[in-house]
Amino acid sequence: VARMAAEVAQAQAAQAAGDWRGVGSANMRFHGGIVALADSPRLTAFFAQAMAELRLAFGLLDDPEQLHAPFLQDNAAILERLQAGDPMAAAARLADYLDRSERVVMTAFARLEHAAAQG
């Protein structure tokens, strides 16, 4: 949880500096902290591979702010619920976050595919 808190702070600092790729990196490390809570080497390895692939894909996007900005407050809210001793509320907030982020990412990649087909 301390790792997650450090990444929320890092993302907020990167946002203030206009460093949206830095925000994205801190976001990935934040989620790595969530995965680490499971204490599963296999899950951690799977997550690392998935994040490496997402990092490559995110590099194709022209506007990382559009991708990452909506989720900064969510990370802080998830962290707050964990720190308050309410993992069920944190899990519910995370589930909502993941559903929304899937839609955002899929929409962004659909735009990329459309742009590639057009030009």
Side-chain angles (χ1 to χ4, degrees):
V1 175
R3 174 180 167 188
M4 293 165 60
E7 297 307 337
V8 166
Q10 184 66 33
Q12 291 167 341
Q15 177 191 26
D19 176 11
W20 289 99
R21 298 216 187 273
V23 170
S25 293
N27 182 56
M28 289 184 188
R29 292 188 304 266
F30 173 84
H31 286 280
I34 292 172
V35 172
L37 293 173
D39 196 27
S40 167
R42 290 185 70 194
L43 186 57
T44 298
F46 172 78
F47 179 79
Q49 180 64 38
M51 287 302 97
E53 292 176 19
L54 276 175
R55 183 177 297 280
L56 290 172
F58 289 166
L60 299 173
L61 299 176
D62 292 331
D63 189 1
E65 179 179 358
Q66 182 180 2
L67 178 65
H68 299 299
F71 302 104
L72 285 169
Q73 291 179 339
D74 290 314
N75 288 351
I78 292 164
L79 176 64
E80 287 171 8
R81 284 160 177 79
L82 283 175
Q83 290 172 326
D86 193 351
M88 296 305 290
R93 185 72 184 246
L94 178 61
D96 176 62
Y97 174 118
L98 293 174
D99 287 342
R100 285 184 297 114
S101 68
E102 179 184 25
R103 287 190 300 273
V104 168
V105 168
M106 296 306 289
T107 299
F109 289 128
R111 282 195 301 264
L112 274 176
E113 281 185 347
H114 183 267
Q118 299 297 316

